[in-house]
């Protein structure tokens, strides 16, 4: 099959619906939109003439660029065929060698790997920005960038990380493994699955273009009224986050529907692997929170483009409207970053502790509880904003209430480790580090949810330390655990264990030595997003910067491991290197297109370690009942 | 079979036939269920999207910054509002009817789908025409902002939702003359979703024109 395809000359294979044409049509679309925007004249747009900044043109440019990109990738073919009355189909371009990685492919395993590489790329860019920030902060007064460029840099770093890494675990790992874990052979909406990936890539590219338009001054939160006043560059922020929001919403819908409808017979809710619980709770937050972000950003777009006044109190609006809507999305967003990490860690612990997951039901309740509570806390970000202060006690209480379900998850983790014969392999090390880091992140969060101490720490580097401990120490450590754990399944080759351990220890130590001092810096009054700081803080800042460079170097160690193991040595991994009982490891490697050649039927828990392994029995073909 | 032989118009592909013959075949019930739950979730997302505008409406109204929430004369023409809401409601009813006929008789859903499509498009066009005849602009204060933002994005979402109405109609056209013109999968969930979106449109009318 593949043979016939690769026999064609390269130029012939490049013609068709693929990334190349997506980019070409995207650029054409941009210029078309830009031109179109300059042709529109209306009363509410007349102010553009006096500012020589036509936001409508730039926004239309982005809109048409996106349309061109999706057309080039082939996303319109199917809807158009259905609009001409053709029937529904499920698959597209699932075979054909490397080519399917550069186009709309409906194989969930391809999409998982696309996500892994794509997200890795933008994570790298975000990380490079962090290095530049830390380089600037080596001295108390501006040296590399002016105040404005520094602000853009911080905004780019934060926005890129928040936007892209939200899909950091669901994108690669849930897309790849959730169907395998539940015994399905595809996702419920395979084209939508591919769409979420390409939307995210388009978003990342759009955010980068802000550099061509002068950047944006708001940081990742995009607060009003600065967002109405900012230059061109803020339009990139709007489109980036709106597309990320769209991608998240669709990703969430797809995950939930897949889990509800495609589970193999016997896989009751009580047997669903905990990672899947993490994934669908995250998904639920995505579906309900991201649309609010999209709406808020479209309001900004209207304010900037057609002169509405959603956020201008001088004209009947209010900046608080934005702040409320943003954090109504924004707080669930931070749990979007945390929950998949919970899922990964609890999924891997039993494998390496060789014990069943302790308190499975409690863990599920904890995850779902965190997800639901996260909608009722958003105003803790606005304690010092001047909003009605009688609301504070409620939000303080609800925020602190979240530590209860979070505590349950810790409890389950500790219960699993209790008296276990732990195997300290690389994925396990990352999981254990997760507990350490997330504990510090969580405990410092209590100070921020407490009004009296938040008044002192808000907007300082204390906050910076807190959320890097939760996001980087939580999400990114879980991300690496997942990579080391599942790469043998995805590529049939394991990452080198020794290099992995070196990577882990450098990363763990330098991470803590980078972010722990930020608590102190914050308490000593160092503000976020400001390029200067009091000169007596320089020694500590230099320490932090040097640690950050080591942290950056540890990422290069990881890349070296990838190149060494996956490109140079290529030693095949054993079929089930961690002796996991989970369903994804019972399939052959590489996983066949249809995942399972017969419908699997599940008759045991996913975490029956310690009891002799039960092979997954297969029913005689004819009796297989429909899934669901 | 290579990927290049898969027709890009998405018509029947050999891949699918292969699946239908094995034990793992997916049933139409499964597809219907996927669509139903999918639409529920998309419905939830849609509600949250408009919830933001509802929130903006009541929040800005209660603040009335600088007395500019709704200066005198900022009133959208009621006739248009009624026209749009009525067209939406009728369109939803027509499509629900189409789904019902298809379920019961396996054919005859084409005409009502066509009517639903026309009425839905009519509502969107009427909204656009209203903008040309409205006595205020987007810069006329808080209410005007909410009005324009809300209605513009309502039209966008309505047009996207009409996709499935069009698909049903097109399938009926193509099935004409065939013995067993297969009812497109997921017609009922699609009809329920469109009714839901149209309901949101009627709700918008109540809030924006009446409250
Ligand atoms: C290599 C590791 C990292 C380093 C050294 C680093 C460093 C920094 C620094 C110094 C700032 C604040 C600058 C300022 O306010 O003046 C910052 C902000 C931020 N970082 Fe990181 N960071 C790292 C990784 C991450 C990761 C993995 C994430 C999330 C996934 C992240 C998310 C953010 C966010 C959201 C902000 C706030 C931006 C804003 O204020 O708008 N960072 N980072
Ligand atoms: Cu929060």
């Amino acid at each position: 099959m593949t043979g016939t395809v690769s026999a064609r000359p390269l130029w012939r294979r490049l013609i068709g619906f693929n990334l190349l044409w997506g980019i070409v049509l995207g650029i054409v679309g941009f210029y078309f939109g830009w031109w179109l925007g300059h042709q529109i004249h209306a009363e509410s747009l007349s102010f553009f003439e006096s500012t020589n900044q036509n936001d409508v043109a730039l926004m239309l440019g982005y809109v048409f660029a996106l349309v061109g990109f999706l057309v080039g990738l082939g996303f319109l073919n199917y809807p158009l065929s259905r609009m001409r009355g053709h029937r529904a189909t499920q698959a597209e371009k699932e075979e054909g060698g490397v080519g399917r990685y550069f186009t709309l492919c409906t194989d969930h395993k391809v999409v998982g790997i696309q996500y892994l590489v794509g997200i890795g790329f933008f994570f790298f860019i975000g990380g490079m920005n962090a290095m530049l920030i830390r380089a600037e902060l080596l001295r108390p007064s501006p040296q590399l960038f002016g105040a404005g460029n520094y602000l853009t840099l911080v905004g780019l770093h934060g926005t890129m990380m928040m936007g892209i890494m939200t899909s950091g675990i669901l994108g690669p790992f849930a897309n790849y493994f959730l169907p395998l874990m539940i015994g399905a052979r595809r996702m419920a909406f395979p084209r939508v699955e591919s769409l979420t990936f390409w939307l995210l890539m388009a978003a990342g590219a759009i955010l980068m273009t802000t550099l061509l338009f002068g950047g944006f001054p708001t940081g990742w939160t995009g607060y009003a009224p600065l967002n109405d006043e900012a230059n061109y560059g803020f339009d990139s922020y709007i489109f980036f986050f709106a597309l990320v929001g769209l991608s998240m919403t669709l990703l969430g819908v797809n995950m939930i529907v897949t889990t509800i409808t495609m589970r193999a017979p016997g896989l009751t809710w009580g047997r669903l692997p905990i990672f899947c619980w993490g994934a669908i709770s995250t998904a639920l937050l995505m579906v309900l929170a991201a649309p609010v972000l999209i709406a808020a950003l479209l309001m900004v777009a209207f304010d900037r483009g057609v002169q509405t006044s959603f956020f201008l109190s001088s004209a009947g609006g209010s900046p608080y409207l934005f702040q409320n809507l943003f954090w109504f999305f924004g707080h669930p967003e931070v749990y979007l970053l945390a929950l998949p990490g919970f899922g990964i860690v609890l999924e891997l612990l039993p494998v390496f502790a060789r014990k069943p997951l302790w308190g499975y039901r409690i863990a599920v309740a904890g995850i779902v509880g965190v997800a639901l509570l996260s909608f009722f806390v958003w105003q803790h970000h606005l304690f010092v904003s001047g909003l009605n202060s009688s609301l504070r006690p409620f939000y303080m209480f609800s925020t602190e209430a979240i530590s209860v379900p979070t505590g349950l998850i810790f409890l389950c983790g500790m219960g699993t480790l209790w008296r276990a014969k732990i195997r300290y392999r690389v994925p396990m090390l990352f999981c254990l580090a997760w507990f350490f880091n997330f504990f510090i992140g969580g405990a410092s969060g209590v100070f921020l949810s407490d009004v009296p101490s938040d008044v002192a720490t808000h907007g300082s580097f204390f906050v910076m330390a807190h959320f890097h401990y939760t996001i980087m120490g939580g999400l990114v450590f879980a991300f690496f655990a997942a990579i080391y754990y599942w790469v043998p399944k995805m590529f049939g080759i394991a990452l080198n264990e020794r290099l992995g351990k070196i990577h882990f220890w450098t990363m763990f130590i330098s991470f803590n030595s980078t972010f722990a001092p930020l608590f102190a810096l914050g308490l000593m009054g160092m503000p976020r997003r400001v390029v200067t700081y009091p000169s007596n803080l320089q020694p500590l800042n230099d320490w932090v910067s040097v640690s950050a460079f080591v942290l950056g170097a540890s990422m290069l160690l990881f890349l070296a491991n990838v190149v060494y193991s996956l490109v140079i040595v290529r030693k095949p991994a054993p079929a089930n290197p961690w002796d996991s009982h989970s369903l994804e490891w019972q399939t052959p490697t590489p996983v066949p297109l249809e995942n399972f050649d017969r419908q699997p039927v599940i008759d045991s828990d996913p975490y029956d370690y310690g009891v002799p392994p039960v092979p997954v029995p297969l029913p005689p073909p004819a009796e297989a009942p429909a899934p669901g | 079979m290579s990927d290049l032989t898969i027709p890009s118009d998405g018509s029947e592909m050999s891949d699918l036939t292969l699946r239908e013959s094995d034990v793992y075949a997916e049933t139409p019930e499964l597809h219907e269920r996927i669509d139903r739950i999918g639409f529920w979730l998309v419905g939830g997302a849609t509600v949250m999207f408009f919830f933001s505008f509802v929130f903006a409406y009541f929040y800005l109204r209660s603040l009335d910054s600088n007395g500019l929430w709704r200066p005198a004369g900022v009133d959208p023409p009621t006739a248009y509002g009624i026209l749009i809401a009525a067209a939406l409601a009728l369109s939803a009813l027509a499509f629900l009817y189409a789904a019902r006929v298809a379920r019961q008789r396996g054919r005859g859903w084409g005409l009502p789908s066509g009517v639903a499509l026309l009425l839905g498009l009519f509502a969107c066009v009427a909204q656009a025409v209203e903008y040309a005849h409205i006595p205020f602009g987007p810069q006329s204060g808080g209410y005007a902002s909410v009005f324009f933002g809300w209605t513009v994005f309502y039209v966008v979402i309505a047009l996207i939702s009409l996709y499935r109405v069009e698909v049903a109609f097109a399938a009926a056209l193509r099935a004409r003359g065939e013995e067993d013109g297969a009812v497109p999968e997921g017609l009922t969930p699609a009809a329920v979703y469109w009714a839901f979106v149209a309901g949101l449109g009627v709700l918008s009318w109540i809030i924006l024109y009446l409250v």
Side-chain angles (χ1 to χ4, degrees):
Chain A
M1 289 180 204
T2 4
T4 53
V5 177
S6 44
R8 291 161 185 262
L10 181 66
W11 69 268
R12 180 64 193 75
R13 274 184 286 150
L14 286 181
I15 296 181
F17 292 98
N18 58 36
L19 180 58
L20 178 68
W21 292 97
I23 294 176
V24 171
L25 291 185
I27 294 174
V28 172
F30 179 84
Y31 282 106
F32 173 72
W34 178 264
W35 170 83
L36 191 68
H38 282 98
Q39 307 309 308
I40 301 176
H41 296 283
E43 199 188 330
S44 64
L45 302 183
S46 54
F47 72 105
F48 286 143
E49 279 149 27
S50 52
T51 63
N52 89 44
Q53 171 178 320
N54 188 331
D55 288 287
V56 168
L58 184 53
M59 290 180 198
L60 285 179
Y62 283 144
V63 169
F64 282 98
L66 179 73
V67 172
F69 182 66
L70 295 181
V71 169
L73 281 165
F75 277 98
L76 250 51
N77 301 346
Y78 177 71
L80 287 179
S81 98
R82 300 239 29 217
M83 288 179 75
R84 299 205 325 275
H86 294 287
R87 292 196 191 174
T89 60
Q90 253 73 47
E92 223 162 284
K93 299 217 177 122
E94 289 181 341
E95 291 175 59
V98 204
R100 60 207 160 128
Y101 289 93
F102 297 95
T103 182
L104 189 189
C105 175
T106 46
D107 181 347
H108 68 96
K109 300 173 289 290
V110 172
V111 179
I113 289 174
Q114 285 177 325
Y115 256 112
L116 190 60
V117 175
I119 284 186
F121 174 72
F122 285 116
F123 181 67
F124 183 76
I125 292 185
M128 291 308 289
N129 289 336
M131 296 301 112
L132 293 177
I133 299 176
R134 281 320 321 180
E136 169 61 55
L137 293 180
L138 279 166
R139 296 237 181 96
S141 42
Q143 40 165 346
L144 301 175
F145 313 98
N149 287 342
Y150 178 79
L151 207 47
T152 292
L153 194 60
V154 171
L156 255 184
H157 163 74
T159 313
M160 187 65 96
M161 290 294 192
M162 293 306 258
I164 298 285
M165 289 309 282
T166 319
S167 309
I169 285 180
L170 254 55
F173 301 114
N175 269 320
Y176 197 111
F177 290 106
L178 185 127
L180 292 176
M181 286 176 149
I182 64 174
R185 65 176 173 189
R186 64 174 176 99
M187 294 287 287
F189 301 108
R191 285 188 189 81
V192 170
E193 184 187 21
S194 178
L195 180 64
T196 62
F197 167 73
W198 288 111
L199 283 179
L200 199 64
M201 293 302 108
I206 285 177
L207 184 63
M208 298 306 294
T209 61
T210 191
L211 293 175
L212 307 175
F213 300 108
F216 59 96
T218 59
W220 87 277
T221 47
Y223 268 13
L226 201 50
N227 59 12
D228 277 1
E229 295 155 2
N231 288 327
Y232 260 150
F234 194 79
D235 295 329
S236 326
Y237 170 97
I238 295 179
F239 271 80
F240 168 78
F241 245 147
L243 290 180
V244 166
L246 188 59
S247 164
M248 285 195 307
T249 313
L250 297 174
L251 178 67
V253 169
N254 204 2
M255 288 290 153
I256 300 178
V257 177
T258 307
T259 318
I260 295 182
T261 60
M262 318 273 286
R263 273 171 298 133
L267 187 60
T268 55
W269 287 105
R271 288 175 178 165
L272 193 65
I274 198 81
F275 172 64
C276 301
W277 277 109
I280 60 171
S281 317
T282 311
L284 188 68
L285 288 189
M286 287 179 163
V287 173
L288 297 180
V292 177
L293 170 73
I294 301 177
L297 291 171
L298 292 175
M299 291 177 196
V300 189
F302 260 48
D303 270 12
R304 293 169 61 81
V306 298
Q307 277 217 296
T308 53
S309 50
F310 281 102
F311 308 126
L312 293 178
S313 47
S314 55
S318 165
Y320 286 125
L321 175 62
F322 184 85
Q323 270 77 312
N324 272 305
L325 290 175
F326 182 83
W327 285 113
F328 188 83
F329 149 80
H331 191 85
E333 157 79 7
V334 308
Y335 280 99
L336 289 174
L337 297 163
L339 285 173
F342 294 180
I344 295 273
V345 169
L346 292 183
E347 181 71 34
L348 304 200
L349 279 192
V351 180
F352 293 94
R354 310 311 295 165
K355 275 180 65 192
L357 177 63
W358 189 86
Y360 170 87
R361 275 157 203 273
I362 304 180
V364 172
I367 289 181
V368 176
V370 170
L372 296 182
L373 274 181
S374 70
F375 280 105
F376 302 95
V377 300
W378 82 92
Q379 285 214 351
H380 62 209
H381 295 278
L382 304 173
F383 279 152
V384 296
S385 66
L387 274 180
N388 191 346
S389 59
S390 57
L391 289 172
R392 286 169 170 184
F394 171 78
Y395 287 99
M396 180 167 144
F397 176 74
S398 59
T399 306
E400 282 165 11
I402 287 206
S403 50
V404 175
T406 318
L408 292 182
I409 291 163
F410 265 73
L411 198 70
C412 295
M414 294 305 128
T416 310
L417 293 178
W418 184 252
R419 296 199 170 157
K421 292 200 240 3
I422 300 176
R423 297 188 303 189
Y424 293 98
R425 308 294 295 275
V426 181
M428 185 59 166
L429 293 176
F430 277 100
C431 291
L432 295 175
W434 183 92
F435 281 101
F436 182 84
N437 298 336
F438 204 82
F439 179 75
I440 298 182
S444 58
V446 178
F447 294 87
L448 295 170
S449 63
D450 230 48
V451 177
S453 47
D454 182 55
V455 169
T457 46
H458 183 89
S460 77
F461 258 64
F462 188 90
V463 179
M464 208 55 47
H466 155 71
F467 72 68
H468 280 93
Y469 260 100
T470 51
I471 304 179
M472 173 131 204
L475 174 82
V476 176
F477 274 74
F479 178 66
F480 279 110
I483 292 183
Y484 279 98
Y485 181 74
W486 274 318
V487 154
K489 188 78 222 170
M490 296 171 103
F491 300 100
I493 303 170
L495 289 168
N496 183 288
E497 182 83 7
R498 175 179 295 245
L499 273 173
K501 282 196 172 146
I502 301 178
H503 165 214
F504 168 77
W505 284 109
T506 14
M507 180 169 161
F508 179 65
I509 295 171
S510 59
F511 165 76
N512 277 286
S513 129
T514 304
F515 290 104
L518 298 190
F519 286 117
L521 284 173
L523 292 176
M524 289 189 271
M526 180 157 162
R528 323 168 44 167
R529 299 178 182 168
V530 179
V531 68
T532 57
Y533 53 84
S535 52
N536 63 323
L537 298 182
Q538 189 177 4
L540 206 46
N541 265 303
D542 287 354
W543 170 276
V544 169
S545 288
V546 172
S547 306
F549 299 146
V550 178
L551 181 55
S554 77
M555 299 293 153
L556 297 182
L557 271 177
F558 168 74
L559 278 185
N561 193 353
V562 169
V563 174
Y564 175 77
S565 310
L566 297 188
V567 183
I568 301 178
V569 177
R570 297 189 64 78
K571 192 173 115 211
N576 188 350
W578 323 107
D579 294 321
S580 164
H581 293 185
S582 179
L583 199 50
E584 80 270 24
W585 293 101
Q586 320 303 328
T587 56
T589 308
V591 185
L593 180 59
E594 305 264 282
N595 295 350
F596 304 92
D597 49 0
R598 289 194 228 158
Q599 174 90 68
V601 174
I602 284 73
D603 65 353
S604 67
D605 260 52
Y607 306 110
D608 49 0
Y609 297 99
V611 288
V614 193
V616 180
L618 300 168
E623 292 165 18
Chain B
M1 181 195 81
S2 83
D3 67 331
L4 296 173
T5 62
I6 294 176
S8 57
D9 65 357
S11 51
E12 290 305 342
M13 43 178 129
S14 42
D15 224 32
L16 202 71
T17 13
L18 192 146
R19 286 175 180 186
E20 272 156 11
S21 64
D22 72 4
V23 279
Y24 219 167
E26 295 178 351
T27 58
E29 289 75 41
L30 173 68
H31 291 169
E32 182 101 2
R33 189 148 179 258
I34 289 180
D35 272 14
R36 190 170 68 241
I37 299 174
F39 274 127
W40 270 108
L41 289 166
V42 174
T46 317
V47 166
M48 293 310 283
F49 181 80
F50 285 110
F51 161 79
S52 314
F53 286 96
V54 176
F55 181 79
Y57 180 95
F58 288 105
Y59 190 68
L60 296 183
R61 182 182 162 135
S62 70
L63 287 180
D64 194 12
S65 309
N66 287 303
L68 284 174
W69 156 250
R70 196 168 178 171
V74 178
D75 291 307
T78 327
Y80 277 102
I82 296 177
L83 196 65
I84 296 166
L88 287 171
L90 289 177
S91 167
L93 289 179
F95 199 40
L96 283 172
Y97 175 73
R100 208 177 104 163
V101 186
R103 244 190 348 261
Q104 288 172 346
R105 289 192 270 136
R107 54 193 175 75
W109 76 90
L111 184 63
S113 310
V115 172
L117 181 65
L118 273 183
L119 282 169
L121 289 177
F122 173 78
C124 297
V125 172
Q127 182 62 73
V129 175
E130 179 183 13
Y131 294 143
H133 296 175
I134 210 161
F136 58 89
Q139 64 277 69
S140 320
Y143 171 84
S145 306
V146 176
F147 179 85
F148 276 94
W150 186 331
T151 51
V152 165
F153 291 110
Y154 181 80
V155 168
V156 171
I157 290 197
L159 286 175
I160 296 173
S161 316
L162 280 173
Y163 165 69
R164 287 294 286 260
V165 184
E166 204 279 347
V167 165
F169 180 59
L173 284 189
R174 194 162 283 266
R176 234 180 0 187
E178 284 175 28
E179 292 290 286
D180 56 339
V183 179
E185 277 175 353
L187 191 53
T188 307
V192 173
Y193 181 71
W194 173 236
F196 171 79
V197 171
L200 286 178
V202 175
L203 199 73
S204 316
W205 171 68
I206 295 177
I207 296 183
L208 288 174
Y209 292 81
L210 301 184
V211 176

